[in-house]
Amino acid sequence: MAVSSGEGKTAGQEDPVRRESARQRAGEQGLLFDEQPTTLPGDIGYRGPTACAAAGITYRQLDYWARTGLVEPTIRAAHGSGSQRLYSFRDILVLKVVKRLLDTGVSLQQIRTAVQHLRDRGVADLAQITLMSDGVSVYECTSADEVIDLLQGGQGVFGIALGRVWREVEGSLAELPGERAAVEDTVPADHPADELARRRRARRTG
């Protein structure tokens, strides 16, 4: 399983020196992030170029991940020519995590499983998670002790504190345009023409 709990990975290994060294490494890497980030409105959506800028990815990556189902926009999917995807804050957070996992050499198969695992978590839970990896498997840690245990046991080569990524995305989006999603944007349009009409109205009123 690509994502598993970090708890109990190094049971019985309580070398004080190694544990303190692991704690220092975790602190230096910013993996003990325990501040509760601000919750943003769930009805604010961000278009593709904005999502790319906030997540640090190319539009080609964004489009490919959406078409292959890796990270799809949850506010509004594209329906035919002329329609615009709208990504939620949570979507962009996951996009940035995917980019970091790819950059560190984690396989796309492992990332897909990790993304599905993150989708199953509540938004508030995401901020408390640190993902650790040894380059092969991805482990989920929900406490500082679990992070330290993995570093001490050798499984944690690198880690991503989602609370810290949350703050980074939040800071980026504060300077980028967003738009309030209409109720109908959360469900697929029955006809492409309906979607195009809504886009024209949005342009006139926006």
Side-chain angles (χ1 to χ4, degrees), residues 122-179:
V123 175
D125 294 335
L126 291 180
Q128 306 305 317
I129 293 173
T130 295
L131 294 179
M132 302 290 294
S133 179
D134 53 9
V136 178
S137 298
V138 179
Y139 304 99
E140 175 194 282
C141 299
T142 55
S143 72
D145 284 341
E146 289 179 7
V147 172
I148 293 166
D149 284 346
L150 283 174
L151 287 173
Q152 181 182 348
Q155 288 109 325
V157 175
F158 70 89
I160 303 171
L162 268 64
R164 188 171 294 279
V165 177
W166 182 302
R167 275 300 174 86
E168 292 172 4
V169 172
E170 189 178 45
S172 297
L173 291 178
E175 301 176 358
L176 294 169
E179 58 188 79

CSV table of all heavy atoms in Angstrom, one decimal, residues 122-179:
chain,number,residue,atom,x,y,z
A,122,GLY,N,-10.9,14.4,5.5
A,122,GLY,CA,-11.6,15.7,5.6
A,122,GLY,C,-10.6,16.9,5.4
A,122,GLY,O,-9.4,16.7,5.6
A,123,VAL,N,-11.1,18.0,5.0
A,123,VAL,CA,-10.2,19.1,4.7
A,123,VAL,C,-9.4,19.5,5.9
A,123,VAL,O,-8.2,19.8,5.9
A,123,VAL,CB,-11.0,20.4,4.2
A,123,VAL,CG1,-10.1,21.6,4.0
A,123,VAL,CG2,-11.7,20.0,2.9
A,124,ALA,N,-10.1,19.5,7.1
A,124,ALA,CA,-9.4,19.9,8.3
A,124,ALA,C,-8.3,18.9,8.7
A,124,ALA,O,-7.2,19.3,9.2
A,124,ALA,CB,-10.4,20.0,9.5
A,125,ASP,N,-8.5,17.6,8.4
A,125,ASP,CA,-7.5,16.6,8.6
A,125,ASP,C,-6.3,16.8,7.8
A,125,ASP,O,-5.2,16.4,8.3
A,125,ASP,CB,-8.1,15.2,8.4
A,125,ASP,CG,-9.2,14.8,9.3
A,125,ASP,OD1,-9.3,15.4,10.4
A,125,ASP,OD2,-10.1,14.0,8.9
A,126,LEU,N,-6.4,17.3,6.6
A,126,LEU,CA,-5.3,17.4,5.7
A,126,LEU,C,-4.2,18.3,6.3
A,126,LEU,O,-3.0,18.0,6.2
A,126,LEU,CB,-5.7,18.0,4.4
A,126,LEU,CG,-6.5,17.1,3.5
A,126,LEU,CD1,-6.9,17.9,2.2
A,126,LEU,CD2,-5.9,15.8,3.2
A,127,ALA,N,-4.5,19.3,7.0
A,127,ALA,CA,-3.6,20.3,7.6
A,127,ALA,C,-2.7,19.6,8.7
A,127,ALA,O,-1.7,20.1,9.0
A,127,ALA,CB,-4.3,21.5,8.1
A,128,GLN,N,-3.2,18.5,9.2
A,128,GLN,CA,-2.5,17.8,10.3
A,128,GLN,C,-1.6,16.7,9.8
A,128,GLN,O,-1.0,16.0,10.7
A,128,GLN,CB,-3.5,17.3,11.4
A,128,GLN,CG,-4.5,18.4,11.9
A,128,GLN,CD,-3.7,19.6,12.4
A,128,GLN,OE1,-2.8,19.5,13.1
A,128,GLN,NE2,-4.2,20.8,12.1
A,129,ILE,N,-1.6,16.4,8.5
A,129,ILE,CA,-0.9,15.3,8.0
A,129,ILE,C,0.5,15.7,7.5
A,129,ILE,O,0.7,16.7,6.9
A,129,ILE,CB,-1.7,14.6,6.8
A,129,ILE,CG1,-3.0,14.0,7.4
A,129,ILE,CG2,-0.8,13.6,6.1
A,129,ILE,CD1,-3.9,13.5,6.3
A,130,THR,N,1.5,14.8,7.8
A,130,THR,CA,2.8,14.9,7.2
A,130,THR,C,3.0,13.6,6.4
A,130,THR,O,2.9,12.5,6.9
A,130,THR,CB,3.9,15.1,8.2
A,130,THR,OG1,3.8,16.3,8.9
A,130,THR,CG2,5.3,15.1,7.6
A,131,LEU,N,3.3,13.8,5.1
A,131,LEU,CA,3.6,12.6,4.3
A,131,LEU,C,5.1,12.4,4.3
A,131,LEU,O,5.9,13.3,4.0
A,131,LEU,CB,3.2,12.8,2.8
A,131,LEU,CG,1.6,12.9,2.6
A,131,LEU,CD1,1.3,13.2,1.1
A,131,LEU,CD2,0.9,11.7,3.1
A,132,MET,N,5.5,11.2,4.6
A,132,MET,CA,7.0,10.8,4.6
A,132,MET,C,7.2,9.8,3.5
A,132,MET,O,6.3,9.0,3.2
A,132,MET,CB,7.4,10.3,6.0
A,132,MET,CG,7.1,11.2,7.1
A,132,MET,SD,8.2,12.6,7.1
A,132,MET,CE,9.8,11.8,7.4
A,133,SER,N,8.4,9.7,2.9
A,133,SER,CA,8.7,8.7,1.9
A,133,SER,C,10.1,8.3,2.0
A,133,SER,O,11.0,9.1,2.3
A,133,SER,CB,8.3,9.2,0.5
A,133,SER,OG,8.7,8.3,-0.4
A,134,ASP,N,10.4,7.1,1.7
A,134,ASP,CA,11.8,6.6,1.5
A,134,ASP,C,12.1,6.5,0.0
A,134,ASP,O,13.1,5.9,-0.3
A,134,ASP,CB,11.9,5.2,2.2
A,134,ASP,CG,10.9,4.2,1.7
A,134,ASP,OD1,10.2,4.5,0.8
A,134,ASP,OD2,10.8,3.1,2.3
A,135,GLY,N,11.3,7.1,-0.8
A,135,GLY,CA,11.5,7.0,-2.2
A,135,GLY,C,10.8,5.8,-2.9
A,135,GLY,O,10.7,5.8,-4.1
A,136,VAL,N,10.3,4.9,-2.1
A,136,VAL,CA,9.5,3.8,-2.6
A,136,VAL,C,8.1,3.8,-2.1
A,136,VAL,O,7.1,3.8,-2.9
A,136,VAL,CB,10.2,2.4,-2.2
A,136,VAL,CG1,9.4,1.3,-2.7
A,136,VAL,CG2,11.6,2.4,-2.7
A,137,SER,N,7.9,3.9,-0.8
A,137,SER,CA,6.6,3.9,-0.2
A,137,SER,C,6.4,5.3,0.4
A,137,SER,O,7.3,6.1,0.7
A,137,SER,CB,6.5,2.9,1.0
A,137,SER,OG,6.6,1.6,0.5
A,138,VAL,N,5.1,5.7,0.6
A,138,VAL,CA,4.7,6.9,1.2
A,138,VAL,C,3.9,6.6,2.5
A,138,VAL,O,3.0,5.8,2.5
A,138,VAL,CB,3.8,7.7,0.2
A,138,VAL,CG1,3.3,9.0,0.9
A,138,VAL,CG2,4.5,8.0,-1.1
A,139,TYR,N,4.3,7.2,3.5
A,139,TYR,CA,3.7,7.0,4.9
A,139,TYR,C,3.0,8.2,5.3
A,139,TYR,O,3.5,9.4,5.1
A,139,TYR,CB,4.8,6.6,5.9
A,139,TYR,CG,5.7,5.4,5.5
A,139,TYR,CD1,6.9,5.6,5.0
A,139,TYR,CD2,5.2,4.1,5.7
A,139,TYR,CE1,7.7,4.5,4.6
A,139,TYR,CE2,6.0,3.0,5.4
A,139,TYR,CZ,7.2,3.2,4.8
A,139,TYR,OH,8.0,2.2,4.5
A,140,GLU,N,1.9,8.0,6.0
A,140,GLU,CA,1.1,9.1,6.5
A,140,GLU,C,1.4,9.2,8.0
A,140,GLU,O,1.3,8.3,8.8
A,140,GLU,CB,-0.4,8.9,6.3
A,140,GLU,CG,-1.2,10.0,7.0
A,140,GLU,CD,-2.7,9.6,7.0
A,140,GLU,OE1,-3.4,9.7,6.0
A,140,GLU,OE2,-3.1,9.1,8.1
A,141,CYS,N,1.8,10.4,8.5
A,141,CYS,CA,2.0,10.7,9.9
A,141,CYS,C,1.1,11.7,10.4
A,141,CYS,O,0.9,12.8,9.7
A,141,CYS,CB,3.5,11.1,10.1
A,141,CYS,SG,4.7,9.9,9.6
A,142,THR,N,0.5,11.5,11.5
A,142,THR,CA,-0.5,12.5,12.0
A,142,THR,C,0.0,13.0,13.4
A,142,THR,O,-0.7,13.7,14.1
A,142,THR,CB,-1.9,11.9,12.2
A,142,THR,OG1,-1.8,10.7,13.0
A,142,THR,CG2,-2.5,11.5,10.9
A,143,SER,N,1.2,12.8,13.8
A,143,SER,CA,1.8,13.3,15.0
A,143,SER,C,3.3,13.5,14.8
A,143,SER,O,3.9,12.8,14.0
A,143,SER,CB,1.5,12.4,16.2
A,143,SER,OG,2.3,11.2,16.1
A,144,ALA,N,3.9,14.3,15.7
A,144,ALA,CA,5.3,14.5,15.7
A,144,ALA,C,6.1,13.3,16.0
A,144,ALA,O,7.1,13.0,15.4
A,144,ALA,CB,5.7,15.6,16.6
A,145,ASP,N,5.5,12.4,16.9
A,145,ASP,CA,6.2,11.2,17.3
A,145,ASP,C,6.3,10.3,16.1
A,145,ASP,O,7.3,9.6,15.9
A,145,ASP,CB,5.4,10.5,18.4
A,145,ASP,CG,5.7,11.2,19.8
A,145,ASP,OD1,6.7,11.9,19.9
A,145,ASP,OD2,4.9,11.0,20.7
A,146,GLU,N,5.3,10.2,15.2
A,146,GLU,CA,5.3,9.3,14.1
A,146,GLU,C,6.4,9.8,13.1
A,146,GLU,O,7.1,9.0,12.5
A,146,GLU,CB,3.9,9.2,13.4
A,146,GLU,CG,2.9,8.5,14.2
A,146,GLU,CD,1.5,8.4,13.6
A,146,GLU,OE1,1.4,8.9,12.4
A,146,GLU,OE2,0.6,7.9,14.3
A,147,VAL,N,6.5,11.1,12.9
A,147,VAL,CA,7.5,11.6,12.0
A,147,VAL,C,8.9,11.2,12.5
A,147,VAL,O,9.8,10.8,11.8
A,147,VAL,CB,7.4,13.2,11.9
A,147,VAL,CG1,8.6,13.8,11.1
A,147,VAL,CG2,6.1,13.6,11.2
A,148,ILE,N,9.1,11.5,13.8
A,148,ILE,CA,10.4,11.2,14.4
A,148,ILE,C,10.7,9.7,14.3
A,148,ILE,O,11.8,9.3,14.1
A,148,ILE,CB,10.4,11.7,15.8
A,148,ILE,CG1,10.4,13.2,15.8
A,148,ILE,CG2,11.7,11.2,16.6
A,148,ILE,CD1,10.1,13.8,17.2
A,149,ASP,N,9.7,8.8,14.6
A,149,ASP,CA,9.9,7.4,14.5
A,149,ASP,C,10.4,7.0,13.1
A,149,ASP,O,11.3,6.1,13.0
A,149,ASP,CB,8.6,6.6,14.8
A,149,ASP,CG,8.3,6.6,16.3
A,149,ASP,OD1,9.2,7.0,17.1
A,149,ASP,OD2,7.1,6.3,16.7
A,150,LEU,N,9.8,7.5,12.1
A,150,LEU,CA,10.2,7.1,10.7
A,150,LEU,C,11.6,7.6,10.4
A,150,LEU,O,12.4,6.9,9.8
A,150,LEU,CB,9.2,7.7,9.7
A,150,LEU,CG,7.8,7.0,9.6
A,150,LEU,CD1,6.9,7.7,8.7
A,150,LEU,CD2,8.0,5.6,9.1
A,151,LEU,N,11.9,8.8,10.8
A,151,LEU,CA,13.3,9.4,10.5
A,151,LEU,C,14.3,8.5,11.3
A,151,LEU,O,15.4,8.2,10.8
A,151,LEU,CB,13.3,10.8,11.0
A,151,LEU,CG,12.6,11.8,10.0
A,151,LEU,CD1,12.7,13.2,10.7
A,151,LEU,CD2,13.3,11.8,8.7
A,152,GLN,N,13.9,8.2,12.5
A,152,GLN,CA,14.9,7.4,13.4
A,152,GLN,C,15.1,6.0,12.8
A,152,GLN,O,16.2,5.4,12.8
A,152,GLN,CB,14.3,7.3,14.8
A,152,GLN,CG,15.2,6.5,15.8
A,152,GLN,CD,14.5,6.4,17.1
A,152,GLN,OE1,13.5,7.0,17.4
A,152,GLN,NE2,15.1,5.5,18.0
A,153,GLY,N,14.0,5.4,12.2
A,153,GLY,CA,14.1,4.1,11.7
A,153,GLY,C,14.6,4.0,10.3
A,153,GLY,O,14.8,2.9,9.7
A,154,GLY,N,14.8,5.1,9.6
A,154,GLY,CA,15.4,5.1,8.3
A,154,GLY,C,14.4,5.2,7.2
A,154,GLY,O,14.8,5.3,6.0
A,155,GLN,N,13.0,5.1,7.5
A,155,GLN,CA,12.1,5.1,6.4
A,155,GLN,C,11.8,6.5,5.8
A,155,GLN,O,11.4,6.6,4.7
A,155,GLN,CB,10.7,4.5,6.9
A,155,GLN,CG,10.7,3.0,7.2
A,155,GLN,CD,10.7,2.7,8.6
A,155,GLN,OE1,11.2,3.5,9.4
A,155,GLN,NE2,10.0,1.7,9.0
A,156,GLY,N,12.1,7.5,6.6
A,156,GLY,CA,11.7,8.9,6.1
A,156,GLY,C,12.9,9.6,5.5
A,156,GLY,O,13.7,10.2,6.3
A,157,VAL,N,13.1,9.5,4.2
A,157,VAL,CA,14.2,10.2,3.6
A,157,VAL,C,13.8,11.7,3.4
A,157,VAL,O,14.6,12.6,3.5
A,157,VAL,CB,14.5,9.5,2.2
A,157,VAL,CG1,15.5,10.4,1.4
A,157,VAL,CG2,15.0,8.1,2.4
A,158,PHE,N,12.5,11.9,3.1
A,158,PHE,CA,12.0,13.3,3.0
A,158,PHE,C,10.6,13.3,3.4
A,158,PHE,O,9.9,12.2,3.5
A,158,PHE,CB,12.1,13.8,1.5
A,158,PHE,CG,11.2,13.1,0.6
A,158,PHE,CD1,9.9,13.6,0.3
A,158,PHE,CD2,11.6,11.9,-0.1
A,158,PHE,CE1,9.0,12.9,-0.5
A,158,PHE,CE2,10.7,11.3,-1.0
A,158,PHE,CZ,9.4,11.8,-1.2
A,159,GLY,N,10.1,14.5,3.6
A,159,GLY,CA,8.7,14.6,4.1
A,159,GLY,C,8.0,15.9,3.6
A,159,GLY,O,8.7,16.8,3.2
A,160,ILE,N,6.7,15.9,3.6
A,160,ILE,CA,5.9,17.0,3.2
A,160,ILE,C,4.9,17.3,4.3
A,160,ILE,O,4.0,16.5,4.5
A,160,ILE,CB,5.2,16.8,1.9
A,160,ILE,CG1,6.2,16.5,0.8
A,160,ILE,CG2,4.4,18.0,1.5
A,160,ILE,CD1,5.6,16.0,-0.5
A,161,ALA,N,5.0,18.4,5.0
A,161,ALA,CA,4.0,18.8,6.0
A,161,ALA,C,2.9,19.5,5.3
A,161,ALA,O,3.1,20.6,4.8
A,161,ALA,CB,4.6,19.6,7.1
A,162,LEU,N,1.7,18.9,5.2
A,162,LEU,CA,0.6,19.5,4.5
A,162,LEU,C,0.2,20.8,5.1
A,162,LEU,O,-0.3,21.7,4.3
A,162,LEU,CB,-0.6,18.5,4.4
A,162,LEU,CG,-0.5,17.6,3.1
A,162,LEU,CD1,0.7,16.7,3.1
A,162,LEU,CD2,-1.8,16.8,3.0
A,163,GLY,N,0.3,21.0,6.4
A,163,GLY,CA,0.0,22.2,7.0
A,163,GLY,C,0.8,23.4,6.4
A,163,GLY,O,0.3,24.5,6.2
A,164,ARG,N,2.1,23.1,6.2
A,164,ARG,CA,3.0,24.1,5.6
A,164,ARG,C,2.7,24.4,4.2
A,164,ARG,O,2.7,25.5,3.7
A,164,ARG,CB,4.5,23.6,5.8
A,164,ARG,CG,5.5,24.7,5.4
A,164,ARG,CD,6.9,24.2,5.8
A,164,ARG,NE,7.0,24.1,7.2
A,164,ARG,CZ,7.3,25.1,8.0
A,164,ARG,NH1,7.4,26.3,7.5
A,164,ARG,NH2,7.5,24.9,9.3
A,165,VAL,N,2.4,23.3,3.4
A,165,VAL,CA,2.0,23.5,2.0
A,165,VAL,C,0.7,24.3,2.0
A,165,VAL,O,0.5,25.1,1.1
A,165,VAL,CB,1.8,22.1,1.3
A,165,VAL,CG1,1.3,22.3,-0.1
A,165,VAL,CG2,3.1,21.3,1.3
A,166,TRP,N,-0.2,24.0,2.9
A,166,TRP,CA,-1.5,24.8,3.0
A,166,TRP,C,-1.2,26.3,3.1
A,166,TRP,O,-1.8,27.0,2.4
A,166,TRP,CB,-2.3,24.3,4.2
A,166,TRP,CG,-3.6,24.9,4.5
A,166,TRP,CD1,-3.9,26.2,4.6
A,166,TRP,CD2,-4.8,24.2,4.6
A,166,TRP,NE1,-5.3,26.3,4.9
A,166,TRP,CE2,-5.9,25.1,4.9
A,166,TRP,CE3,-5.2,22.8,4.6
A,166,TRP,CZ2,-7.2,24.8,5.1
A,166,TRP,CZ3,-6.5,22.5,4.8
A,166,TRP,CH2,-7.5,23.4,5.0
A,167,ARG,N,-0.3,26.6,4.0
A,167,ARG,CA,0.0,28.0,4.2
A,167,ARG,C,0.6,28.6,2.9
A,167,ARG,O,0.4,29.8,2.5
A,167,ARG,CB,1.0,28.2,5.3
A,167,ARG,CG,0.2,28.3,6.7
A,167,ARG,CD,-0.7,29.5,6.7
A,167,ARG,NE,-1.6,29.6,7.8
A,167,ARG,CZ,-1.2,30.1,9.0
A,167,ARG,NH1,0.0,30.7,9.1
A,167,ARG,NH2,-2.0,30.2,10.0
A,168,GLU,N,1.5,27.9,2.2
A,168,GLU,CA,2.1,28.3,1.0
A,168,GLU,C,1.1,28.6,-0.1
A,168,GLU,O,1.1,29.6,-0.8
A,168,GLU,CB,3.1,27.3,0.5
A,168,GLU,CG,4.4,27.2,1.4
A,168,GLU,CD,5.2,26.0,1.0
A,168,GLU,OE1,4.9,25.4,-0.1
A,168,GLU,OE2,6.2,25.7,1.7
A,169,VAL,N,0.1,27.7,-0.3
A,169,VAL,CA,-0.9,27.8,-1.3
A,169,VAL,C,-1.8,29.0,-0.9
A,169,VAL,O,-2.2,29.8,-1.7
A,169,VAL,CB,-1.8,26.5,-1.4
A,169,VAL,CG1,-3.0,26.8,-2.3
A,169,VAL,CG2,-0.9,25.4,-1.9
A,170,GLU,N,-2.1,29.1,0.4
A,170,GLU,CA,-3.0,30.2,0.9
A,170,GLU,C,-2.3,31.6,0.6
A,170,GLU,O,-3.0,32.5,0.1
A,170,GLU,CB,-3.2,30.0,2.4
A,170,GLU,CG,-4.2,31.0,3.0
A,170,GLU,CD,-4.3,30.7,4.5
A,170,GLU,OE1,-3.3,30.5,5.2
A,170,GLU,OE2,-5.5,30.7,5.0
A,171,GLY,N,-1.0,31.6,0.8
A,171,GLY,CA,-0.3,32.9,0.5
A,171,GLY,C,-0.3,33.2,-1.0
A,171,GLY,O,-0.5,34.4,-1.4
A,172,SER,N,-0.1,32.2,-1.8
A,172,SER,CA,-0.1,32.4,-3.3
A,172,SER,C,-1.5,32.9,-3.8
A,172,SER,O,-1.6,33.8,-4.6
A,172,SER,CB,0.3,31.1,-4.0
A,172,SER,OG,1.6,30.7,-3.6
A,173,LEU,N,-2.5,32.2,-3.3
A,173,LEU,CA,-3.9,32.5,-3.8
A,173,LEU,C,-4.4,33.9,-3.3
A,173,LEU,O,-5.3,34.5,-3.9
A,173,LEU,CB,-4.9,31.4,-3.3
A,173,LEU,CG,-4.7,30.1,-4.0
A,173,LEU,CD1,-5.7,29.1,-3.4
A,173,LEU,CD2,-4.8,30.2,-5.5
A,174,ALA,N,-3.8,34.4,-2.2
A,174,ALA,CA,-4.2,35.7,-1.7
A,174,ALA,C,-3.9,36.8,-2.7
A,174,ALA,O,-4.5,37.8,-2.8
A,174,ALA,CB,-3.5,36.0,-0.4
A,175,GLU,N,-2.9,36.5,-3.6
A,175,GLU,CA,-2.5,37.5,-4.6
A,175,GLU,C,-3.0,37.1,-6.0
A,175,GLU,O,-2.6,37.8,-7.0
A,175,GLU,CB,-1.0,37.6,-4.6
A,175,GLU,CG,-0.4,38.1,-3.3
A,175,GLU,CD,1.1,38.1,-3.3
A,175,GLU,OE1,1.7,37.7,-4.3
A,175,GLU,OE2,1.6,38.5,-2.2
A,176,LEU,N,-3.8,36.1,-6.1
A,176,LEU,CA,-4.3,35.6,-7.4
A,176,LEU,C,-5.8,35.7,-7.5
A,176,LEU,O,-6.5,35.6,-6.5
A,176,LEU,CB,-3.8,34.2,-7.7
A,176,LEU,CG,-2.3,34.0,-7.8
A,176,LEU,CD1,-1.9,32.5,-7.8
A,176,LEU,CD2,-1.8,34.6,-9.1
A,177,PRO,N,-6.4,35.8,-8.7
A,177,PRO,CA,-7.8,35.9,-8.8
A,177,PRO,C,-8.6,34.6,-8.6
A,177,PRO,O,-8.2,33.5,-9.0
A,177,PRO,CB,-8.0,36.4,-10.3
A,177,PRO,CG,-6.8,35.8,-11.0
A,177,PRO,CD,-5.7,35.9,-10.0
A,178,GLY,N,-9.7,34.7,-7.9
A,178,GLY,CA,-10.6,33.6,-7.7
A,178,GLY,C,-12.0,34.0,-8.0
A,178,GLY,O,-12.2,35.2,-8.2
A,179,GLU,N,-12.9,33.1,-8.1
A,179,GLU,CA,-14.3,33.5,-8.4
A,179,GLU,C,-15.2,32.6,-7.6
A,179,GLU,O,-15.0,31.4,-7.4
A,179,GLU,CB,-14.6,33.4,-9.9
A,179,GLU,CG,-14.4,32.0,-10.5
A,179,GLU,CD,-14.5,32.1,-12.0
A,179,GLU,OE1,-13.5,32.6,-12.7
A,179,GLU,OE2,-15.6,31.7,-12.5
